[in-house]
Amino acid sequence: MFAKILIANRGEIACRVIRTARRMGVRSVGVYSDADAGALHVEMADEAVHIGPSPVGESYLRGDKIVAAALATGAEAIHPGYGFLSENPDFVDQVTAAGLVFIGPPAASIRAMGLKDAAKRLMEKAGVPVVPGYHGEAQEIVLLASKAREIGYPVLIKARAGGGGKGMRRVEHPDDFSEALSGARREAKAAFGDDRVLVEKYIEKPRHIEVQVFGDIFGNVVHLYERDCSAQRRHQKVIEEAPAPGMTPALRKAMTEAAVKAAKAINYSGAGTIEFIVDASQGLKADCFWFMEMNTRLQVEHPVTEMVTGTDLVEWQLRVASGEKLPKTQSEIALSGHAFEARIYAEDAAKGFLPATGTLHHLKFPDTAPEGASMRIETGVRTGDAISPFYDPMIAKLVVHGKTRPAALEALGIALSQTEIAGSTVNTAFLAALAADADFSAGDVDTGLIGRHQQALTAVPPPSSEIVAAAALAASGAGAQAPTRDPWSSLAGYAHFHAIARRTRLRYGEDDILALVSMRPGGRFQVALDAPYDSALDLRAAARLARWPGHVTVFSGALGYSFAVPDPLAKADEIAAGADSLRAPMPGLVKLVRAAKGEAVIKGQPLLILEAMKMEHTISATHDGTIAEIATEGAQVTDGTVLVRFAEEAHG
């Protein structure tokens, strides 16, 4: 076994690997960029090396710096985690050329599966079923459009490199093919440096079911059963589970055998995942699944497999990479119970899942697992850390295990309702709504489920009078949440002729809220709210809330309602983002401008494309008008930057 390894990654996966390495007596070396100098994985590692500025291209994608760090610290092997360089065969060559061990598959295996089109041709030869489509080298638009017609609409355009839904477009009609192809190519080029695509038949009710495989250098390959990853938004997974709901013995046998066959076809060693698309329109059948791609690394969702098989896949990775045989044979790997993983992101589900940034002023996960369940929290952040625009906005993975699917799903809902995050917009309420969705609860899942139910799943009810009153009480400085030396608190319970009262202002969205907080006997308070609430409530200080600079967040189940607390001494900001302008909803790069100064535009017309987190977001006109100013292509903008300003006549 290795004495010391370097982890070429950051965030939760780096922390995850460090924990297993420590348990095995293996020392760990972390690497970090400028933005991650104070990160949790740096604190947890036995030692850490700075590798460059915050942009990934200058730090976490610099294989030369990572290899140099490993050599300088005496590490014997490099664990790539997922993302970044984990599936880069050239990096594997760099590692091995330096006399180090890459904790993952050989470069040849990664190359064989690295491009979707070549991988599918290889799988066809190996007898693994593949989705009908065009996987060729020629990329002329006329040819691709012709192939799409041959396949039959709807079709799916997919980047041949990479994954995560980037460079992917569903096309319903031939007239939309050219525009969709251009968008997919731009996104693929930005994310993977390769704008080539493949075109496939779009499966009407697709299930995304994948099989965890593991191989060693002695030719042994086993599977650890399947995971269902059909709950996706924007082609990216949000809740995964194992085993797949509704799985039949016949389909499980066919899929796991195909997965092992695929791994053996490329002499695979280490952890890998064979992803299949399954047509669930007529139930799960053994002849209705097709190979999509192979991920030649540890998956984000690997904890659900660990929970239902009682394994530690990172330990397996270290053992196999150090030359040991697989820890278990196929007959020794059994399924037990059911597990879910929910990915908690800094994102605004109500605004199309736009990535968010911010400081995590309050971060609290459940202290114990719900009754009858087990739970683990995988995270790379803690209270006070910032969600940076440079990296993926995932905050944590909440993983639960129960004896049955209903028991595990109930535990997931409870755990999400007990999770508290303030300082950034997060998706916990959306995840809880999805877990409670009738179709999801019944196991009737497919990749279109979230899209069909998106409005209901992302709707945020307005705060109740009780929630507003609790926020006002906290903002006033009264009650248990008050600072120790708050003079208001020191007067608690004292009144000479009448109840002491304090006037408090809050802001929620566009609403200005005025509240009057008065003392009551027995440690209680009365909170009188002006319109639109027009109510007076008698209450104690709320237990589930967080105060952070200029704000109060009140938690209700999985929802967190954040109220701004204006500084009465500060000058009011008279300039708001009105209908005369469009502002950037997040930090990003202006990728494409489709309108010009002086041009008359109509409501809904696409004006520019903003690239953020390697995804494209279209900014469209909110009304008819004439453009007075518009951002330039290539401009790097921050959250709230004016992208488009309309001429005054637009409102006259």
Side-chain angles (χ1 to χ4, degrees), residues 496-518:
H496 191 56
F497 294 113
H498 54 78
I500 303 170
R502 169 176 284 189
R503 190 178 300 272
T504 300
R505 289 189 178 275
L506 299 171
R507 187 170 181 83
Y508 181 78
E510 298 300 315
D511 295 334
D512 285 309
I513 303 167
L514 179 63
L516 194 66
V517 181
S518 304

Side-chain angles (χ1 to χ4, degrees), residues 116 156-161 163-169 180-181 183-189 191-192 194-198 235 614-616:
K116 294 183 178 71
L156 195 63
I157 301 172
K158 299 170 67 174
R160 75 169 197 161
K166 299 177 179 68
M168 185 181 293
R169 297 289 189 279
L181 177 63
R185 280 177 163 167
R186 281 194 307 272
E187 202 167 87
K189 184 70 173 177
F192 316 119
D194 185 345
D195 67 357
R196 286 170 289 184
V197 301
L198 47 85
H235 303 296
K614 298 298 183 183
M615 299 290 283
E616 291 187 353

Side-chain angles (χ1 to χ4, degrees), residues 67-91:
V67 169
L71 294 173
T73 55
E76 302 157 77
I78 294 178
H79 193 300
Y82 54 72
F84 295 146
L85 295 169
S86 63
E87 294 180 284
N88 186 320
D90 294 335
F91 177 61

Side-chain angles (χ1 to χ4, degrees), residues 462-463 465 468 511-514 529-535:
S465 297
V468 176
D511 295 334
D512 285 309
I513 303 167
L514 179 63
L529 301 173
D530 270 4
Y533 299 96
D534 287 328
S535 58

Side-chain angles (χ1 to χ4, degrees), residues 355-422:
T357 55
T359 298
L360 301 174
H361 292 285
H362 179 82
L363 181 63
K364 183 177 182 294
F365 298 108
D367 295 324
T368 58
E371 187 177 355
S374 56
M375 178 184 67
R376 57 193 267 196
I377 306 294
E378 300 285 352
T379 186
V381 295
R382 73 230 124 150
T383 297
D385 285 349
I387 302 299
S388 164
F390 294 105
Y391 313 118
D392 183 271
M394 187 166 69
I395 294 171
K397 302 184 308 195
L398 193 158
V399 191
V400 296
H401 177 270
K403 291 182 179 179
T404 64
R405 186 177 190 271
L409 191 57
E410 181 182 12
L412 178 64
I414 293 171
L416 285 168
S417 72
Q418 295 174 348
T419 298
E420 300 175 2
I421 304 173

Side-chain angles (χ1 to χ4, degrees), residues 229-306:
C229 307
S230 301
Q232 302 178 8
R233 85 307 184 237
R234 299 176 65 144
H235 303 296
Q236 292 182 310
K237 306 163 188 174
V238 287
I239 294 182
E240 302 96 342
E241 60 182 299
M247 176 59 70
T248 65
L251 179 57
R252 176 174 288 146
K253 182 175 186 294
M255 289 185 74
T256 54
E257 287 179 353
V260 170
K261 186 186 297 184
K264 286 186 174 180
I266 57 170
N267 300 314
Y268 197 79
S269 66
T273 299
I274 311 295
E275 299 194 347
F276 295 101
I277 189 167
V278 181
D279 183 356
S281 58
Q282 298 181 9
L284 299 183
K285 296 185 176 181
D287 60 350
C288 289
F289 74 96
W290 301 275
F291 171 87
M292 284 199 302
E293 61 182 328
M294 181 178 189
N295 287 288
T296 52
R297 54 171 168 79
L298 197 66
Q299 290 281 86
V300 178
E301 59 272 20
H302 75 274
V304 293
T305 293
E306 294 181 322

